[in-house]
Amino acid sequence: MFDGITIQDVSVNVDALLTNERLTFGTLVDGQTGVILNPVRKAYDRGLTFRLVPRKTGKGYRVEVKGSLHKFFNGGLHNADQYTANDLLLTLDQLATEYGFNLFDSVINNIEFGVNVELPFPVAKVLANLICYKNQPFAVDSHSSIPYYVCDRQRYVVKMYDKGKQKGLAANVLRFEIRVRKMRYFDGKGVRLHTLVDLLNVANYGPLGVLLVNTFNNILFDDPAIDTKNLNTDQRHIYQQGRNPRYWHTPENLTVKQAATHRQRLSRNKNRFRALLDQYGSNWQLEVAAFVRQTWDQLTTVDDQLLTRIDQHKSTWQNLSKPYTLNGFAVSEYSEETVINEGATCHKLTDFTPPVCHELTAPPTPSLSQINPLYSGVPCDSNQPDQSCSDLSDLQQKQGVAVCPVTGITIESPRPRQRFISITQIKNLARTNRQMFNALADRFLTGKQAGAVFEKRCYYIAHNIRNTYANQFNNPLRRLKKYQRSIEGQLPLLSTSQVIKPTERIQAGIDYRKGTGYEIIF
């Protein structure tokens, strides 16, 4: 079933990992000077490697986990037996309960799926007769004690080896697997694998089994049972050429037209080669493919009782990932920080109202309506009653803070002229305040965007926040710029301000663009 996995940014409490009794994080230090040579800290547990990688923002760590789920389930000893859907359920439960993984938000970057197939004949018969896969020959991994045969494609790797020989088993066990390097490999294949909890999506198991069997059937094998004496001259020529892996290669020095012609010829000859195998061979490849199909079906069989347990565990894990409250404030259990961001709990994205909102306690300035782009949705606290929120925003930036005018979220250490919450801050919010992140996602993501990967969702949220603000006056400003372009190079009789009387909304857009490359001279 599933085996190797890589998650580059696990949704988990870093402080809890550092104090977990099963993990001891070390780092590379110069023995003489004590200087840290590599800031990345590593720990190992039962076949999994944990890496704490400092974030580029300088705040906190990114948790990366890589290793074998199958081996982890077996206590780190081996992955040579059968790994079932029930075993997978117990594995994920350990990750959620022992380490605090948020299985719903931990995005999978690489995954392996495959089977350990017990054959009635030596595995060497399969490996020794490998020719190619999609006209690409298999390479042998020279770094392993036993031969690993791999065909490296752009998005995935087809891999097989003698698992019985590797583990010293008496049985003939073939390991056949697909290692997905880019999750786009699953696009259009009926498989949805995004986060860890998706590994228990039973609807994926059928399409994954089809992928596995079809991939094995598409491999070109030789068959030593064929006696060339039974072949005519033309058949013998096709067979001798086809069993040579180099024959299926398309030379790189061909023109586009020549390459297309060459591939068409190879396709015809491949069909003729397979016809020879079917007619004169022993059809052992079909036998192995049947074992692959049978083994996968046995591993992924889910009865009603197991399905009920899966649903119960999912509900439990969901509750583990929900924020709890402290003194009336929501606090995420998967936060890297223990200090509550009070400024981020004082606006309309939350379902509760804190008893005191500290700096943001004065009523909104009456002169600004809520449709005005300068209105942030957050009351301004100023000793000067005539001071606008825009002036206050500039003042806050000078003081090292700012407030996003759309969401009202406090922006600490903003960049010069930064007004909106950034992608990086949204990613951090997903870990430090899950409730607020979900509220942002519900408000600013469309249907297709909501189904994107985590990185893309954060990008869309930030992008749509800026659009929400700018779209209030973009169309009027486009008309204004169009008018200016139409009179460019001419001596106008009247100034633009005399022709077009800006509304409060248009004037706000003009003021917003002052000093930028999009400034409108009005």
Side-chain angles (χ1 to χ4, degrees), residues 247-258:
Y247 170 75
W248 303 104
H249 174 68
T250 300
E252 297 180 358
N253 58 350
L254 299 181
T255 65
V256 175
K257 185 176 180 179
Q258 290 173 336

Side-chain angles (χ1 to χ4, degrees), residues 360-413:
L360 308 178
T361 55
T365 305
S367 60
L368 295 177
S369 68
Q370 293 193 22
I371 64 171
N372 191 298
L374 295 181
Y375 181 83
S376 66
V378 184
C380 301
D381 183 17
S382 172
N383 294 327
Q384 300 179 7
D386 295 333
Q387 186 178 22
S388 69
C389 288
S390 178
D391 297 332
L392 183 58
S393 177
D394 294 337
L395 176 62
Q396 287 174 330
Q397 286 205 354
K398 293 179 181 178
Q399 295 175 345
V401 296
V403 176
C404 176
V406 177
T407 64
I409 294 177
T410 300
I411 305 172
E412 302 206 359
S413 303

Side-chain angles (χ1 to χ4, degrees), residues 190-225:
V191 177
R192 187 192 181 281
L193 279 179
H194 180 56
T195 62
L196 276 172
V197 78
D198 291 332
L199 297 178
L200 290 173
N201 184 356
V202 179
N204 288 327
Y205 297 162
L208 286 171
V210 171
L211 278 175
L212 202 65
V213 175
N214 287 347
T215 300
F216 187 84
N217 283 330
N218 283 331
I219 297 174
L220 206 59
F221 287 95
D222 191 6
D223 192 336

Side-chain angles (χ1 to χ4, degrees), residues 229-449:
K229 295 179 182 179
N230 298 326
L231 307 179
N232 60 39
T233 303
D234 184 53
Q235 290 175 329
R236 190 178 300 111
H237 178 70
I238 289 294
Y239 177 67
Q240 294 297 345
Q241 285 185 319
R243 63 195 306 221
N244 182 358
R246 298 176 61 183
Y247 170 75
W248 303 104
H249 174 68
T250 300
E252 297 180 358
N253 58 350
L254 299 181
T255 65
V256 175
K257 185 176 180 179
Q258 290 173 336
T261 303
H262 183 78
R263 283 191 292 268
Q264 289 177 353
R265 182 169 62 253
L266 290 182
S267 178
R268 290 193 298 268
N269 289 342
K270 183 182 293 185
N271 292 334
R272 297 171 65 186
F273 182 81
R274 287 188 180 277
L276 289 176
L277 298 178
D278 293 340
Q279 183 177 357
Y280 298 100
S282 59
N283 293 323
W284 63 266
Q285 183 177 0
L286 295 178
E287 184 181 2
V288 176
F291 283 125
V292 171
R293 172 81 267 180
Q294 179 183 358
T295 304
W296 178 263
D297 289 343
Q298 291 173 349
L299 297 178
T300 59
T301 297
V302 177
D303 57 20
D304 292 340
Q305 184 179 3
L306 179 55
L307 191 60
T308 300
R309 292 178 55 227
I310 290 175
D311 291 338
Q312 291 173 344
H313 277 78
K314 286 183 178 180
S315 178
T316 301
W317 299 333
Q318 188 75 59
N319 291 331
L320 287 175
S321 64
K322 287 181 179 179
Y324 60 89
T325 58
L326 177 63
N327 297 330
F329 293 92
V331 182
S332 174
E333 291 186 356
Y334 295 94
S335 170
E336 292 184 14
E337 302 174 0
T338 57
V339 179
I340 301 173
N341 183 349
E342 295 175 340
T345 61
C346 296
H347 17 76
K348 56 189 175 183
L349 293 178
T350 56
D351 295 328
F352 55 88
T353 303
V356 180
C357 200
H358 296 291
E359 298 178 351
L360 308 178
T361 55
T365 305
S367 60
L368 295 177
S369 68
Q370 293 193 22
I371 64 171
N372 191 298
L374 295 181
Y375 181 83
S376 66
V378 184
C380 301
D381 183 17
S382 172
N383 294 327
Q384 300 179 7
D386 295 333
Q387 186 178 22
S388 69
C389 288
S390 178
D391 297 332
L392 183 58
S393 177
D394 294 337
L395 176 62
Q396 287 174 330
Q397 286 205 354
K398 293 179 181 178
Q399 295 175 345
V401 296
V403 176
C404 176
V406 177
T407 64
I409 294 177
T410 300
I411 305 172
E412 302 206 359
S413 303
R415 301 184 304 275
R417 301 190 65 83
Q418 179 182 353
R419 294 174 180 243
F420 308 103
I421 184 171
S422 67
I423 297 175
T424 300
Q425 290 168 311
I426 292 173
K427 291 179 182 178
N428 292 336
L429 198 61
R431 287 174 285 275
T432 60
N433 195 324
R434 192 69 198 177
Q435 181 179 0
M436 186 167 294
F437 175 82
N438 290 337
L440 285 173
D442 292 340
R443 181 181 172 191
F444 294 105
L445 291 180
T446 63
K448 289 184 178 180
Q449 294 173 351

